[in-house]
Amino acid sequence: MAEIKDQTVNGRAELDGNTYINVVFDNAALFYSGGKAPNFQNVTFREGCSFTFQEQAGNTLAFIRSMAHPSTNMRFIVDGLIPELKA
């Protein structure tokens, strides 16, 4: 996909497969659909940025959230999938 370098990005940004190097996101609406993961190198997120996980990415996130609910007794699985989130 695209390489975005040494820029300020605002407005809508489709993340799938893109590489962002030395980029500032300022009032950007970032969308990820579940394709190839974006690559971020030395990026900054300023105020007004939002992330939306849509399509397959949204479905996966909803599934992980449902597994993390205390009533499922599966929180340990989520913790194992994403150990960086453990406090």
Side-chain angles (χ1 to χ4, degrees), residues 3-15:
E3 181 178 285
I4 297 87
K5 188 174 183 179
D6 303 321
Q7 295 181 31
T8 296
V9 174
N10 50 41
R12 185 181 180 100
E14 299 289 341
L15 299 176

Side-chain angles (χ1 to χ4, degrees), residues 16-85:
D16 294 58
N18 292 334
T19 297
Y20 298 90
I21 303 169
N22 302 324
V23 168
V24 174
F25 291 97
D26 188 18
N27 288 307
L30 300 116
F31 290 84
Y32 179 61
S33 298
K36 184 177 177 187
N39 183 352
F40 298 107
Q41 299 174 30
N42 194 37
V43 300
T44 301
F45 297 92
R46 292 197 179 145
E47 291 188 37
C49 291
S50 64
F51 283 86
T52 299
F53 296 87
Q54 57 190 13
E55 299 174 22
Q56 294 94 335
N59 292 339
T60 301
L61 187 56
F63 175 60
I64 292 171
R65 282 182 175 149
S66 72
M67 290 173 54
H69 193 274
S71 68
T72 67
N73 294 319
M74 294 192 304
R75 178 62 193 219
F76 73 96
I77 295 172
V78 175
D79 291 342
L81 291 172
I82 313 170
E84 297 84 359
L85 297 180

